Amino acid sequence: MVTPVRALPLAQLRERSSEKWREYPDDVLPLFVAETDFPLAPAVTEALERAVRDGDTGYVASRTPLAAAYAGFAQRRFGWTVDPARIRSTADVSMGIVEILRRVIEPGERVIVNPPIYPPFFDLIEEAGGIVQRVPLRDTGESWELDLEGIERALADGARAVLLCNPHNPTGSVPSAQSLDAVARLAEQHGAAVISDEIHAPLTQPGVPFTPFLASGDAAQRIGYVVTSASKAFNLAGLKCALMISASDETTAVLRSLPIEVEWRTGQFGMLAAVAAFTPESDDWLDGLLVTLDENRRLLGALLATHLPEARYRMPDAGYLAWMDLTGLGWGPNPSKQILRQARVALHFGPAFGAEGAGHVRLNFGTSPEILTEAVERIARARATISAARG
């Protein structure tokens, strides 16, 4: 039987020194940045405690168990066979994206993204010398899908790379294997590369098919890269460890061409924690976390239906981020400002995710039911107060 993972008490969370708990005053409920409120997986805690006790705080080694640990995790969780020899590590997913982009595009070439999209994607492409090419997701009314026709037009017009988010942030949607394979074949046809950010993959809900990009077909293996990490599922972002994965001799040669400094930026604690997260000892904890996130995504839907029926919310299939359309509240293109000011709840700004984010917010439900309930009730009270003031 799976034991749900429960969030820490609010008073204990406020003792944390991370961005989530230091950006705003204590009267604000912080549900903006992608940090969770759960205790660490026991195996991760043990690995870090052992390292501190032993003074194991030096440089990360050139040979570590990280690649083998991830290969085992990918096989167990996704049915994906990964060759550990085709994995390199770095500090975080963003750094991995930039370093690969620098190898697969020339300065001034365009890179496709699918907004609304994780805001740093825009900056990462510019950092790598590229130009953002927007091909928005298609909203079918029931789900979000990759716009394959739009991607094909952009590639035919000269875009040299596609930067995917699989599963997608902020919508929590999970592209089908067929759509990923189609993207790969289009990219190969036009001589482009595909980089797939799969940091939220371990948080795909049971019953929802998740396909790693490199497992979607032969074309993906020839032209694709996966960049991933334990940091979102296991809340390890501050420890700095991510993986860059290839599946062909050509793409592996690209990863091996990266300066050794790219790999040495991997954090020693990050590597140790990731190994512990990816081993079978942490599987039960991750299963329990998924149960809790399932409860919370459903609770959020019920709270919105009761207190904020104007909100449009589609339950995500992966992750702990909710993409909410609050246009019906009449709070302008960036309702998070009004919510912060009037309700003292911090949400991520919708417009930061692209023009498609106007009127939207992103809410992190990786917290306790009590905090989630209080946040929605605060927003509802603010709406009532504002409506009364308007007469």
Side-chain angles (χ1 to χ4, degrees), residues 289-352:
L289 177 63
L290 289 169
V291 168
T292 298
L293 296 181
D294 181 40
E295 293 172 351
N296 284 0
R297 66 178 181 156
R298 296 177 189 279
L299 172 62
L300 178 59
L303 290 168
L304 292 173
T306 299
H307 299 289
L308 290 169
E310 304 93 338
R312 294 179 59 210
Y313 160 71
R314 188 175 296 153
M315 192 166 65
D317 288 327
Y320 48 80
L321 305 171
W323 186 237
M324 296 158 43
D325 183 352
L326 302 186
T327 306
L329 293 176
W331 287 355
N334 193 359
S336 57
K337 289 185 177 180
Q338 187 91 310
I339 290 169
L340 178 60
R341 184 167 56 249
Q342 300 290 338
R344 308 305 286 161
V345 176
L347 306 177
H348 205 321
F349 307 148

Side-chain angles (χ1 to χ4, degrees), residues 66 70 73 78 90-94 196-203 226-245 270-271 273-274 277-278:
L66 177 61
Y70 181 76
F73 180 85
F78 312 136
T90 190
D92 53 40
V93 163
S94 292
S196 184
D197 173 353
E198 300 186 358
I199 198 170
H200 296 276
L203 296 175
V226 162
V227 188
T228 191
S229 172
S231 63
K232 284 295 176 282
F234 293 88
N235 206 40
L236 305 175
L239 300 184
K240 296 301 178 184
C241 179
L243 301 97
M244 302 173 289
I245 307 170
M271 182 276 296
F278 291 141

Side-chain angles (χ1 to χ4, degrees), residues 197-215:
D197 173 353
E198 300 186 358
I199 198 170
H200 296 276
L203 296 175
T204 304
Q205 283 292 328
V208 177
F210 168 75
T211 303
F213 180 75
L214 294 177

Side-chain angles (χ1 to χ4, degrees), residues 250-265:
E250 292 76 15
T251 53
T252 299
V254 171
L255 293 187
R256 289 176 177 167
S257 75
L258 297 174
I260 190 61
E261 287 294 339
V262 172
E263 194 153 9
W264 279 345
R265 291 168 187 156

Side-chain angles (χ1 to χ4, degrees), residues 57-73:
T57 55
Y59 295 108
V60 70
S62 58
R63 292 184 297 276
T64 76
L66 177 61
Y70 181 76
F73 180 85

